[in-house]
Amino acid sequence: MNSREHLLVRDGKDMLSLSHEHLSMYHGSEYPGGVALAWQALRFALPALAGGGVVRREDVLLKTPFPGIGFFDAVEMATRASSRKAFHLLDGMPMLGNPPASPNRGYFFFELHAAGGIVLFSLKHGLVPDEFYTLSEANARSPLQGAERERLMALRRAVGAALLASKPEDLFDCHHLSPLPRMSAEGEDDSPADLSAEDALPPLAVADNGLPLSITYGAMLRYAGRQSECGVAAAYMLLRQALPLLAREGMPERKDLSIRCGIFGKGIVDGLEMVTRAASGGRLEIDERLGEGQVVAPEGQTGGSFLFDIAVGTRKGRFILKKALDPKRYFELCRLRDSRGLDDDEKREIERERIAFSKDLLTAEEAYEAML
């Protein structure tokens, strides 16, 4: 099945291999058809734009009048377009061809840019059943309940499965293509980053509207990018320790999780978001006043203290990074990098210290002091 194939994107010097399952982990359960549509749309458009190469995440910009939440989330997981403010929902945008209308509002039309290239394409007619439109529009007027709700969800899953079972080129009409061939830059590897060891670490278990999700450390790194590895490792170990303590009766629902952080590091926030969707759900708060006297990261993109208040419903806990794990030399080098830059020896040292900090986090039996 096509769903087992992978989508390649560049992130920094890494090439990341993403699966449909990775996109589904990020989104959850509500709109599987939208996730499948995004998966196939990106597999259709990005290789065409790359001219035989692989597109950089940071180059992708998408314009569309289609407001699907599953589609939006899946594009974010693969390209980080929303985080970069490069996803534009435009109700009245010009369109080519005769794209089919989407349920409720909008059209299945997409304009995707990357590195100077552009592709305009739309979903073919006849792929979405009339009953799906009818129930979706009824649900928008008043949320469906009981058997009607079950039927709508069954249709969403059926549309997703039908999209996944097709080849991308059989799903879309291409109206315009201007590819920009791109050669690999110096230092870039042409093979996907090997994240098998990261995928093999114990997964984190959460639920999304009752759907069990098993999210690996490797999936968290694919969302955040490996340049944020230390922060992602800190988020992974935090949730690995906190979730069993705060949700003793089983895996917690994402929507029941709220987090207050004393640190605003990108890797930590991205790692927490991949698993809990707390940032996009308005359930993650950054409070730099937390954790005075605790392990403190350098100012800049990471500053703040490694202290976290986490709640699952009414059950709450405070988690503080153990001082034995304080990467003093790594943070010292980060401060030097931000103030005057690093010489070649220091650049090699900061990379060694970064790797060592991540390893220390991931091999700690318990990385945080827990207060319940």
Side-chain angles (χ1 to χ4, degrees), residues 245-246 248 315-319 370-372:
L245 292 174
L246 297 175
R248 291 179 175 174
R315 189 168 178 81
K316 300 178 181 180
R318 171 164 285 190
F319 299 86
M371 295 176 285
L372 302 178

Side-chain angles (χ1 to χ4, degrees), residues 104-162:
N104 306 316
R105 69 183 178 93
Y107 293 85
F108 291 112
F109 181 83
F110 312 98
E111 179 180 321
L112 198 148
H113 300 249
I118 180 173
V119 58
L120 307 176
F121 62 106
S122 60
L123 189 69
K124 291 180 181 292
H125 283 265
L127 297 176
V128 181
D130 291 341
E131 186 185 7
F132 183 85
Y133 281 88
T134 300
L135 287 178
S136 295
E137 289 162 2
N139 187 66
R141 292 191 296 270
S142 178
L144 300 179
Q145 305 294 330
E148 287 186 316
R149 163 74 179 176
E150 292 178 7
R151 178 57 181 162
L152 175 60
M153 290 306 300
L155 282 169
R156 288 175 179 175
R157 291 189 291 270
V159 168

Side-chain angles (χ1 to χ4, degrees), residues 4 19 23 43 71 87 115 119 122 145 185 212 226-227 249 273 315 319 347:
R4 294 179 181 174
S19 68
L23 276 59
R43 292 178 63 220
F71 181 87
F87 187 108
V119 58
S122 60
Q145 305 294 330
R226 291 207 303 177
Q227 70 275 13
E249 297 179 357
E273 170 70 357
R315 189 168 178 81
F319 299 86
K347 289 177 182 177

Side-chain angles (χ1 to χ4, degrees), residues 22 25 27 34 48 58 65 92-93 119 124 128 177 209 217 225 228-229 232 234 270 279 284 303 316 324 356:
H22 292 134
M25 284 179 197
H27 167 68
E58 58 265 33
M93 69 178 288
V119 58
K124 291 180 181 292
V128 181
L177 172 63
N209 292 322
Y217 175 54
S228 302
E229 184 174 1
V232 179
D270 283 350
L284 187 143
K316 300 178 181 180

Side-chain angles (χ1 to χ4, degrees), residues 227-365:
Q227 70 275 13
S228 302
E229 184 174 1
C230 291
V232 179
Y236 167 75
M237 292 302 292
L238 171 67
L239 294 175
R240 182 174 164 181
Q241 186 174 344
L243 294 183
L245 292 174
L246 297 175
R248 291 179 175 174
E249 297 179 357
M251 63 184 67
E253 278 281 345
R254 278 172 154 175
K255 62 187 177 184
D256 293 335
L257 272 156
S258 60
I259 305 170
R260 190 163 64 128
C261 303
I263 190 167
F264 52 85
K266 178 180 180 297
I268 289 175
V269 172
D270 283 350
L272 295 174
E273 170 70 357
M274 175 67 202
V275 180
T276 70
R277 299 304 307 274
S280 56
R283 293 173 282 103
L284 187 143
E285 176 188 356
I286 307 296
D287 186 349
E288 297 172 54
R289 298 168 299 177
L290 287 179
E292 292 183 7
Q294 307 302 331
V295 177
V296 178
E299 294 298 324
Q301 294 186 339
T302 307
S305 299
F306 285 81
L307 185 149
F308 306 86
D309 289 332
I310 302 179
V312 177
T314 59
R315 189 168 178 81
K316 300 178 181 180
R318 171 164 285 190
F319 299 86
I320 303 170
L321 186 69
K322 293 183 177 180
K323 291 193 174 182
L325 293 171
D326 188 345
K328 293 183 175 62
R329 179 56 180 166
Y330 175 59
F331 285 164
E332 179 185 349
L333 289 167
C334 289
R335 294 183 182 97
L336 289 176
R337 179 192 58 196
D338 295 339
S339 62
R340 62 159 172 80
L342 302 176
D343 60 31
D344 289 343
D345 288 340
E346 288 169 333
K347 289 177 182 177
R348 287 188 287 270
E349 185 182 5
I350 196 173
E351 181 63 13
R352 290 194 300 270
E353 292 293 330
R354 182 188 68 81
I355 293 171
F357 181 33
S358 297
K359 182 179 179 180
D360 287 346
L361 285 167
L362 294 172
T363 56
E365 185 175 344

